Amino acid sequence: MGGRLEPTAYDVSRLHERLGAAAEAEGLLDVAYRTVDSPVGPLLLAATPTGLVRVAYEVEGFDAVLTTLAARISPRVLRSSRRLDAAARELEEYFDRRRTTFDLPLDLSLSSGFRQVVQRYLPQIAYGHTATYGQVARDVGNPRASRAVGTACATNPLPVVVPCHRVLRGDGSLGGYLGGPEAKRTLLGLERAA
């Protein structure tokens, strides 16, 4: 009969990787992405040539995140692991409690203004420690902007790497989190257990 063989998921994945590698070699890849497993569920990682530009939780909808990246950065988006190998390795080390800070180049082009000021500050909250929205507002020089700090955390394009999970409400409760309260609780628990 000689029926046509259907490609397996492995075949399709390899084809995506080859396309991504070829596009990167030709300078045609503006946003590379891959997914990794983690204790807080699958994470989508995306990077431009400048650095890591997005970490997304599955609850955000990976297709929606990629569509937004295509609209805001470039439509030349492909799955390509190589550019994200260092990010994947550092995240694995973080979740294994072998890393407390990230040394990755970051592309902060998805945020601007006060939000970016806050997001640049967040890595200064030490591993295993927390701060309140009000404390962060004071530390970035705008003590009346605790709500804006909350918005900056809620719109952080690089959760986990830029540790908005370390920011709590003034009463010590969790507050909101892009990946959901359970993800925030898991990250805080992981850091406290180290």
Side-chain angles (χ1 to χ4, degrees), residues 25 42 61 67-68 81 95 104 128 135 140 153 170 176 182:
T67 298
T68 300
S81 295
F95 286 117
L104 299 166
Q135 288 170 326
V140 298
C153 290
E182 192 55 41

Side-chain angles (χ1 to χ4, degrees), residues 25 50 99 143 153 186:
T50 302
R99 171 175 292 279
C153 290
T186 298

Side-chain angles (χ1 to χ4, degrees), residues 31 64-77 110:
V31 180
V65 170
L66 292 172
T67 298
T68 300
L69 290 172
R72 293 192 59 189
I73 297 176
S74 167
R76 298 192 313 187
V77 178
L110 292 176

